[in-house]
Amino acid sequence: MPLPRVLLMCLVCSCAVLLTRCYEDEIEVNYADPFYNEIAEGAQPESTQPQEVAPTTAPVKLPEFNKWDKLFTMLENSQMKENMLLQYADNIIKVELQSLRGEMLQFVANYAGGCSSAVDTAGRRLSLQLEMKLAQATERMKEVNAEQLGHQEALLQQLVSASRAQTARLSKLESTCLSAATTKDLQSDRSVRDATAAEGQLEKSLTAMATDLQKARVQLDRSLRSAERHFLPSGCEMALLFPMRSRRIYAAVTPDGDMGLHSFTVCLWAKVREALNKTVLFSYGSKKNPFEIQLVLSGHSLLFTVGGEAHLVEAGNVVKDGQWSHFCGSWSSEEGLASLWANGLKVASSSGVAEGHVLPKGGTMSLGQEKNGYSSFGFDSGADPKLAFAGKMTGVNLWDRVLEEEEIFQNAQREGSCSSRGNVVGWGVSEIIPHGGAQYIN
């Protein structure tokens, strides 16, 4: 290689080394600490070549934040924290609910069979206890009936024994009189004395026998009255008891049929303690007319109204306090004929009573009280305790026709009439709900 070319190559390499060193020094200056740098006072760049710069010791001033910037920063931080807490709580609740659901499913799977068996066992025990109570009550009723029948049989046996004793006495007196009459050897005065003595003895015997019969009759009447107090009439198995007069004590009746009637017959058994001027047995009324049907007592009289109090049918001296009585009222719109029945007999009748009238639907039917007060708070506002019924009631029935006389007479008999039920209201079938202190008794 020629010498000049070699020298030129060496010169190029030297220049490249010098340029590389200068570039490295510039990089070191640019990557120094940006917060501390300074420029020497009065120094002026003499050439375009980069020079080494010494670091400065003065701190860089950061921008100052006013109160609104700080407030916005706090709000952003609180919002971020709130979102984080909500997300954390949501995750915890989801985990807990999933865990609780799993535990409940496991509990149901483990104990569902035991719970159902326990409920079944408890139901069987309750049914067995109810059956035992019913059996005990039946046995008690049988014992009471047996005791009363035994008492009546004992009274009848005493009566039969007394009759037999009196018969024996009469036979003895008769034989004595006959023997005295047939004896011829006795003197006439002795015969007279014997006849007088026999007549006196006969009179005494007859008086004693009459006294015994009277005592037996009194005891038999007492036994019959006691039996009537304990037993319901007509073979009925239950009755409604109204313990006292009160505007809150009554029984609400829900008819089974339509009350838009052109004719009807209502019957019931009642045992009243004491009837005042107006004692309500049966009542049906609407908001327009609360006195559509009323069967009431007034002292010892029975009253029956249809379509209002202006249409009245009354029968006197048919009610006896403390005794069961059968009452019926019938009415026909076509003829306007209303009739009253007491213990199977027609006691009053009147024509022209609400002729052409039709009973309205949607009224209120009750026993033992009339619902003649209508307000925004209900029916009870107009109830009067002086009109309430106090006693017992059973065999309440309502038909949509006028019953024949033979049917009413049969229903008033004391055996089996409770088996006859009305097609609008049937005793033992229709819903009759007691309120206040009213209750069902056996």
Side-chain angles (χ1 to χ4, degrees):
M1 181 178 294
L3 180 60
R5 187 177 293 181
V6 173
L7 292 175
L8 181 60
M9 290 295 294
C10 291
L11 181 60
V12 172
C13 291
S14 299
C15 291
V17 171
L18 290 175
L19 290 173
T20 303
R21 289 181 179 178
C22 292
Y23 181 74
E24 289 177 355
D25 293 339
E26 185 179 2
I27 292 176
E28 291 177 358
V29 170
N30 292 334
Y31 280 90
D33 191 357
F35 299 101
Y36 302 95
N37 53 67
E38 64 179 359
I39 300 175
E41 295 181 359
Q44 295 294 335
E46 298 179 352
S47 63
T48 58
Q49 296 294 330
Q51 296 181 359
E52 185 175 356
V53 180
T56 180
T57 58
V60 178
K61 294 182 179 181
L62 297 174
E64 294 183 0
F65 295 98
N66 55 21
K67 59 181 181 180
W68 296 107
D69 295 333
K70 295 179 180 181
L71 181 60
F72 289 146
T73 304
M74 292 173 63
L75 289 175
E76 290 177 356
N77 293 337
S78 62
Q79 184 68 28
M80 183 175 62
K81 291 179 179 179
E82 182 181 359
N83 293 334
M84 293 174 64
L85 289 174
L86 289 175
Q87 185 177 3
Y88 180 71
D90 191 15
N91 294 335
I92 291 177
I93 291 173
K94 287 181 179 179
V95 173
E96 293 295 333
L97 287 176
Q98 290 177 359
S99 177
L100 181 61
R101 182 173 179 274
E103 293 179 359
M104 290 298 296
L105 291 175
Q106 185 177 3
F107 177 80
V108 171
N110 293 336
Y111 298 100
C115 292
S116 60
S117 61
V119 171
D120 190 12
T121 304
R124 291 180 180 177
R125 290 180 179 176
L126 288 175
S127 62
L128 290 175
Q129 290 179 0
L130 289 175
E131 290 178 358
M132 292 176 62
K133 292 292 184 181
L134 290 174
Q136 292 176 1
T138 305
E139 292 296 331
R140 291 174 185 170
M141 291 298 296
K142 291 181 179 179
E143 291 177 359
V144 171
N145 295 339
E147 290 180 359
Q148 292 180 352
L149 291 175
H151 183 62
Q152 294 179 0
E153 290 180 358
L155 291 176
L156 293 175
Q157 290 292 337
Q158 292 178 3
L159 182 61
V160 171
S161 300
S163 300
R164 290 177 179 176
Q166 296 302 328
T167 302
R169 290 179 183 178
L170 289 174
S171 299
K172 185 177 180 180
L173 289 173
E174 185 179 0
S175 62
T176 301
C177 293
L178 291 174
S179 61
T182 54
T183 302
K184 297 179 180 181
D185 298 335
L186 296 177
Q187 297 178 356
S188 60
D189 55 348
R190 185 177 179 182
S191 298
V192 173
R193 288 196 301 269
D194 291 341
T196 304
E199 185 178 355
Q201 188 175 2
L202 178 61
E203 185 177 358
K204 290 180 180 180
S205 299
L206 292 175
T207 303
M209 184 176 66
T211 303
D212 293 338
L213 289 175
Q214 186 66 25
K215 291 180 179 179
R217 181 179 179 181
V218 171
Q219 291 179 354
L220 186 59
D221 290 340
R222 289 178 180 176
S223 177
L224 291 175
R225 286 196 297 270
S226 177
E228 288 181 355
R229 292 193 192 99
H230 290 86
F231 292 98
L232 300 176
S234 303
C236 299
E237 297 180 354
M238 62 180 179
L240 275 170
L241 172 63
F242 300 85
M244 59 181 291
R245 293 183 180 90
S246 173
R247 69 186 185 91
R248 299 182 182 276
I249 298 178
Y250 67 98
V253 184
T254 303
D256 294 331
D258 187 9
M259 283 302 297
L261 304 177
H262 296 78
S263 61
F264 68 87
T265 301
V266 56
C267 294
L268 56 86
W269 284 90
K271 182 179 180 181
V272 61
R273 293 181 182 175
E274 182 181 4
L276 301 181
N277 292 332
K278 185 177 180 181
T279 301
V280 179
L281 296 176
F282 180 91
S283 176
Y284 176 76
S286 61
K287 291 184 178 181
K288 186 177 180 181
N289 183 7
F291 309 106
E292 287 291 343
I293 304 175
Q294 279 203 329
L295 186 64
V296 301
L297 304 177
S298 179
H300 296 285
S301 300
L302 179 65
L303 288 77
F304 179 51
T305 63
V306 180
E309 295 181 332
H311 307 286
L312 177 65
V313 182
E314 182 178 1
N317 298 323
V318 295
V319 181
K320 295 182 180 180
D321 295 338
Q323 293 186 11
W324 284 104
S325 300
H326 187 261
F327 302 121
C328 288
S330 63
W331 169 80
S332 174
S333 173
E334 183 179 356
E335 302 174 357
L337 181 63
S339 302
L340 267 178
W341 306 76
N343 297 320
L345 301 176
K346 183 186 289 187
V347 293
S349 182
S350 178
S351 60
V353 176
E355 186 175 357
H357 180 65
V358 179
L359 294 179
K361 303 177 182 178
T364 301
M365 187 180 299
S366 60
L367 303 176
Q369 180 63 274
E370 69 178 11
K371 301 298 179 183
N372 59 356
Y374 292 83
S375 68
S376 58
F377 297 100
F379 286 109
D380 289 342
S381 60
D384 189 353
K386 296 180 181 179
L387 307 179
F389 172 78
K392 299 176 183 178
M393 195 179 299
T394 187
V396 182
N397 292 287
L398 178 65
W399 291 264
D400 60 355
R401 60 185 178 88
V402 176
L403 297 185
E404 300 293 336
E405 294 185 6
E406 183 64 25
E407 291 180 277
I408 295 178
F409 180 78
Q410 292 296 331
N411 289 333
Q413 300 305 308
R414 288 188 172 270
E415 295 182 358
S417 68
C418 260
S419 59
S420 177
R421 296 182 175 87
N423 59 345
V424 180
V425 175
W427 180 253
V429 177
S430 300
E431 184 179 14
I432 302 177
I433 302 176
H435 294 273
Q439 59 181 338
Y440 282 102
I441 60 173
N442 294 325

